[in-house]
Amino acid sequence: MAADAQNMDALYQEIILDHYKRPHGAGLRDDGDAEVHHVNPTCGDEITLRVHLDGQTVRDVSYHAEGCSISQASASVLNDLVVGQPVDRSLQVLDEFQRLMQGKGQVEADEDVLEDGIAFAGVAQFPARVKCALLSWMAFKDAVAQATGKDQA
Amino acid sequence: MAAAYDVARVREDFPILQRRLAGDLPLVYLDSANTSQKPRQVVDAIDAHYLAHNANVSRAMHQLGAEATEGFELGRTKVAEFIKAPRREEVVFTKNASEALNLVARVLGDAGRVREGDEIVISQMEHHSNIVPWQQLSQRTGATLRWFGITPEGRLDLENDPITERTKVVSITWVSNMLGTINPVQQVIARAREVGALVVIDASQAVPQIPVDVAELGADFVAFTSHKMVGPTGIGVLWGRYDLLAELPPFLGGGEMIATVTMEGSTYAEPPARFEAGTPPIAQSVGLGAAVDYLTELGMQNVAAHEQAITAYALERMLEIDGLRVVGPQEAVDRGGAISFTLEGIHPHDVAQLLDSRGIAVRAGHHCAKPAHLLFGVQSTTRASFYLYTTEAEIDALVDGIRHTQKYFGA
């Protein structure tokens, strides 16, 4: 698709730039139940992410991320959307976010579920950037699986 | 020497450079260190091969087979002449420079040229393709991998010399794909010779932009790739000293690399066939031959002079920008046409995306040189790289694009 100036504003929504400049919940905090480190091998973006569970509730997601505005903002939105949620619900949000990201711009996402995450709809039109947006979410998925013992391998 | 180098004339050979994108802006292609664009002459040669001469080589006893073989082998001859190889049989075709480097690393190990307790020397500014094969060879043999560091300016640190009496192979890049540095390879080769080590030169960024004479260079192996020198993808070159190639065992087994095969065992062909198992990149050799003709027609001295001039102009213009840091030599001295940089407060991905929205193609990331990035304390950079068709107007567009990016992100 043509990456002209109008598409730039679709990609870099104000919400995304706000999250990028002032990320929510950034930093690694102690007492995590699982820690994972994910990288995007094509560009070198990295995230270290910890999930902190309280029974079946996501008490906190703490992280240290290095990467572009899209990947940083995505980690911030992740923190907003899943902290305080039941684990099951957090994974439903993840599914919805993933569906939006992999929908090539053809998917209408549920704003009630994704809230600020809806701003990433424009990213789905830039295949090279989808991985940036998904980096923290895939790390979260992995960390939750480890913390809840579903992935002891 | 030819008359003044005419970039506008050269650009007419590259139809892709006429493209308009990003809302009808001219394409500004500044990613040639990644892959170069192809002139019509190269595409036409490949076209003609497939449309009129296509057949498999060596084994087909018919007219077309003879034509295809002639075209394929002519590519080898042209490459040999281009790099001043003493013999055309010293040119081994691979699929790219990575495979050429892997080939050397593999067969040196198999030949027992590198053993436990030996040392292999590379540098910290290598592309991953000149790091990983040597790490793998070290793991297979128990040899130790050592390396030259990089000075703060982005030059090879020759003061802290890792070459010792135990060094068996030194493999080093001629021109860094990330820093742009042109290394004093002759000095490294001389040093390696003192201890009797073999020398491999990764010339992937060198052969496209500077005149190369392998006989004069004095290395044992030189690796490079067609697609960075206006040729097609799918073919790379390993040049090796004939006597050395003749001693080494094969790399991959299969068709074309054998002398005879029985169920009990096989004997192997002479170089270069010994190292070219299976159907080779035939059309690609024809295309590479046309690329070499194209470069020769322009004159490699002219290409090098243009690269030098455009790089000097780009460095001067880019260093005027507040918040821009060039990672690599800041002066256009012993420097190739790749400039990696960071912009304060803006991630390289975002820089590349914004530039793309103005039709400017650059690369963002670690450029397959993560160790060098780590050394300079950056996770990734944006890289603009230039070639024989790059104009000052394109550099100006880049500079404007960078300033626009800074405004967009409020940095």
Side-chain angles (χ1 to χ4, degrees):
Chain A
M1 75 166 298
D4 59 20
Q6 280 165 3
N7 282 319
M8 281 307 94
D9 294 337
L11 175 65
Y12 294 113
Q13 302 259 338
E14 277 304 318
I15 296 172
I16 291 180
L17 293 179
D18 284 349
H19 276 278
Y20 170 51
K21 286 169 186 163
R22 284 171 292 277
H24 302 174
L28 284 169
R29 291 171 287 280
D30 292 338
D31 309 328
D33 292 285
E35 176 181 307
V36 298
H37 181 74
H38 278 215
V39 298
N40 179 346
T42 54
C43 62
D45 281 3
E46 301 184 32
I47 188 166
T48 303
L49 179 145
R50 290 178 189 159
V51 286
H52 310 253
L53 299 181
D54 194 352
Q56 278 306 303
T57 302
V58 180
R59 180 168 50 81
D60 193 11
V61 174
S62 67
Y63 61 93
H64 174 72
E66 259 191 83
C68 63
S69 57
I70 303 296
S71 72
Q72 301 273 25
S74 176
S76 173
V77 168
L78 165 77
N79 181 280
D80 273 4
L81 291 183
V82 302
V83 170
Q85 298 289 336
V87 171
D88 288 352
R89 170 72 181 167
S90 76
L91 294 176
Q92 283 166 11
V93 176
L94 182 150
D95 285 344
E96 183 63 10
F97 189 75
Q98 203 171 349
R99 195 175 70 87
L100 173 65
M101 284 300 95
Q102 293 170 345
K104 300 188 168 70
Q106 309 298 315
V107 165
E108 196 74 36
D110 187 340
E111 191 166 358
D112 291 338
V113 177
L114 289 186
E115 301 174 29
D116 276 5
I118 209 87
F120 287 81
V123 179
Q125 297 169 35
F126 292 83
R129 305 304 294 276
V130 168
K131 272 188 182 173
C132 308
L134 284 176
L135 182 68
S136 58
W137 292 81
M138 292 302 107
F140 174 69
K141 188 178 187 177
D142 187 10
V144 167
Q146 288 185 24
T148 56
K150 284 176 194 157
D151 182 17
Q152 297 289 3
Chain B
M1 179 117 355
Y5 187 79
D6 187 352
V7 192
R9 234 305 288 129
V10 169
R11 289 175 70 84
E12 288 172 10
D13 294 329
F14 294 81
I16 204 169
L17 298 177
Q18 307 306 317
R19 274 198 64 180
R20 300 183 76 83
L21 31 80
D24 206 29
L25 290 166
L27 164 69
V28 175
Y29 185 76
L30 302 179
D31 198 18
S32 290
N34 205 349
T35 196
S36 69
Q37 294 301 346
K38 323 301 174 198
R40 193 187 298 278
Q41 289 86 333
V42 167
V43 179
D44 285 350
I46 296 168
D47 221 43
H49 169 80
Y50 276 128
L51 298 179
H53 309 289
N54 181 58
N56 210 331
V57 293
S58 305
R59 54 188 96 161
M61 292 296 135
H62 45 65
Q63 169 87 25
L64 290 184
E67 289 173 13
T69 303
E70 192 185 326
F72 173 66
E73 291 299 339
L74 183 59
R76 192 189 311 276
T77 303
K78 286 176 177 177
V79 169
E81 285 168 0
F82 186 65
I83 60 170
K84 312 229 171 7
R87 297 179 60 170
R88 63 183 297 286
E89 293 82 9
E90 294 178 331
V91 172
V92 176
F93 285 140
T94 60
K95 73 167 182 265
N96 47 38
S98 292
E99 190 182 77
L101 292 164
N102 275 273
L103 190 166
V104 179
R106 170 63 70 168
V107 301
L108 289 180
D110 289 352
R113 289 267 190 163
V114 177
R115 298 167 188 267
E116 187 168 5
D118 290 344
E119 292 176 359
I120 301 163
V121 169
I122 58 172
S123 89
Q124 218 168 342
M125 69 168 79
E126 299 309 312
H127 187 282
H128 295 166
S129 61
N130 199 28
I131 298 176
V132 182
W134 303 109
Q135 288 174 338
Q136 291 173 317
L137 177 61
S138 300
Q139 284 159 9
R140 284 198 298 272
T141 59
T144 304
L145 187 65
R146 308 187 64 188
W147 51 86
F148 282 99
I150 311 175
T151 68
E153 200 211 341
R155 305 282 179 187
L156 205 59
D157 181 6
L158 296 167
E159 299 295 309
N160 298 295
D161 179 4
I163 297 174
T164 71
E165 295 296 324
R166 289 182 297 280
T167 306
K168 289 294 186 295
V169 190
V170 177
S171 187
I172 211 118
T173 190
W174 193 333
V175 180
S176 161
N177 72 308
M178 176 212 166
L179 302 166
T181 317
I182 298 181
N183 286 320
V185 280
Q186 229 114 28
Q187 240 175 293
V188 176
I189 292 167
R191 175 72 186 108
R193 286 285 173 254
E194 288 173 16
V195 300
L198 293 171
V199 183
V200 185
I201 300 293
D202 175 1
S204 300
Q205 302 288 343
V207 171
Q209 54 175 306
I210 51 184
V212 169
D213 180 332
V214 293
E216 188 190 15
L217 183 67
D220 298 289
F221 299 100
V222 175
F224 56 99
T225 192
S226 152
H227 73 93
K228 294 187 200 292
M229 51 190 287
V230 308
T233 56
I235 186 167
V237 175
L238 174 69
W239 170 83
R241 275 198 296 118
Y242 190 83
D243 54 339
L244 199 49
L245 289 177
E247 265 178 49
L248 292 168
F251 174 46
L252 304 174
E256 301 300 337
M257 53 74 73
I258 47 92
T260 66
V261 177
T262 65
M263 292 316 290
E264 288 69 40
S266 304
T267 55
Y268 306 119
E270 297 301 310
R274 185 184 302 171
F275 305 101
E276 295 178 349
T279 294
I282 303 165
Q284 290 79 357
S285 171
V286 171
L288 175 55
V292 160
D293 286 344
Y294 186 82
L295 293 172
T296 304
E297 184 76 19
L298 289 182
M300 283 307 293
Q301 291 291 355
N302 297 326
V303 170
H306 177 72
E307 193 84 17
Q308 171 81 12
I310 203 78
T311 304
Y313 181 74
L315 280 170
E316 185 195 319
R317 294 278 348 251
M318 288 167 73
L319 288 168
E320 288 168 2
I321 300 172
D322 286 337
L324 186 149
R325 172 190 171 207
V326 169
V327 181
Q330 318 267 307
E331 288 175 298
V333 177
D334 291 331
R335 205 189 189 300
I339 300 180
S340 294
F341 63 96
T342 59
L343 281 186
E344 203 179 329
I346 314 173
H347 191 276
H349 268 178
D350 297 319
V351 177
Q353 190 88 61
L354 259 288
L355 293 176
D356 185 49
S357 77
R358 294 164 75 98
I360 303 166
V362 296
R363 182 167 171 187
H366 51 60
H367 319 305
C368 300
K370 284 190 87 161
H373 278 82
L374 188 66
L375 188 76
F376 286 93
V378 290
Q379 182 223 22
S380 56
T381 53
T382 308
R383 182 184 70 186
S385 55
F386 322 122
Y387 203 26
L388 45 85
Y389 36 65
T390 307
T391 65
E392 289 192 357
E394 290 182 306
I395 305 299
D396 294 340
L398 170 69
V399 169
D400 290 346
I402 292 171
R403 293 193 193 281
H404 166 74
T405 303
Q406 289 179 313
K407 250 185 235 135
Y408 192 94
F409 285 102

